[in-house]
Amino acid sequence: SLNGYRATCEILQLVPSVEKFRLTLRVIKLWARRNGLYGNMLGFLGGASWAILVAKVCQLAGIEGNLGSCVNLVHRFFYTFANWNWPEPVYIKKVDAQPYPAWNPAMNHYDREHAMPIITSSVPQMNSAVNVTKT
């Protein structure tokens, strides 16, 4: 769909180094597949969620962190999300004015129950990990 293409283009604009982002994302997705942790329909994270998480790590690392080896970003990825205060949402871009169907735990009680909110950057912002549960 066009929404997926638009979201991908936006993610690439939000990271300090597109090259390091792409390489780190490849490594993380390979790790997830090899460990049986890939697939939105199976209750795991899908491609969009992995991309948002890697983009967040690239943002947190900043320009300096993206100058070094991709290995540093992979290490930072696992450290960051092993210590993340779930269910605190992961945003790579916050948008204030949202249409009604957007992810909004203040207005929608179902959104409050999400175990791992990983919020898309494009409007309307949605939880890309809505199928992930606590068990």
Side-chain angles (χ1 to χ4, degrees):
S1 81
L2 282 177
N3 201 25
Y5 174 76
R6 189 170 51 108
T8 300
C9 289
E10 188 161 16
I11 288 173
L12 295 177
Q13 292 175 351
L14 294 170
V15 295
S17 168
V18 172
E19 180 184 345
K20 294 290 168 106
F21 165 76
R22 285 184 169 152
L23 184 56
T24 305
L25 180 58
R26 265 190 177 165
V27 170
I28 297 300
K29 285 170 105 175
L30 178 64
W31 170 84
R33 281 190 180 103
R34 288 204 173 158
N35 286 281
L37 301 172
Y38 190 94
N40 203 22
M41 299 303 287
L42 302 172
F44 299 109
L45 301 181
S49 296
W50 291 115
I52 292 166
L53 293 178
V54 170
K56 181 65 173 184
V57 166
C58 290
Q59 288 177 338
L60 292 172
I63 293 173
E64 303 82 30
N66 283 274
L67 292 176
S69 166
C70 178
V71 172
N72 295 336
L73 288 172
V74 171
H75 179 267
R76 184 175 221 151
F77 174 90
F78 286 108
Y79 180 83
T80 299
F81 295 112
N83 294 294
W84 195 262
N85 187 24
W86 301 106
E88 181 181 320
V90 175
Y91 288 97
I92 55 173
K93 178 183 174 186
K94 275 210 170 191
V95 177
D96 292 328
Q98 291 282 327
Y100 172 71
W103 187 82
N104 186 345
M107 292 183 68
N108 185 347
H109 69 91
Y110 292 114
D111 290 346
R112 280 181 237 141
E113 297 172 12
H114 291 171
M116 209 172 177
I118 301 170
I119 311 304
T120 60
S121 58
S122 52
V123 176
Q125 290 187 304
M126 306 299 283
N127 180 6
S128 65
V130 71
N131 290 337
V132 174
T133 62
K134 291 177 184 174
T135 56

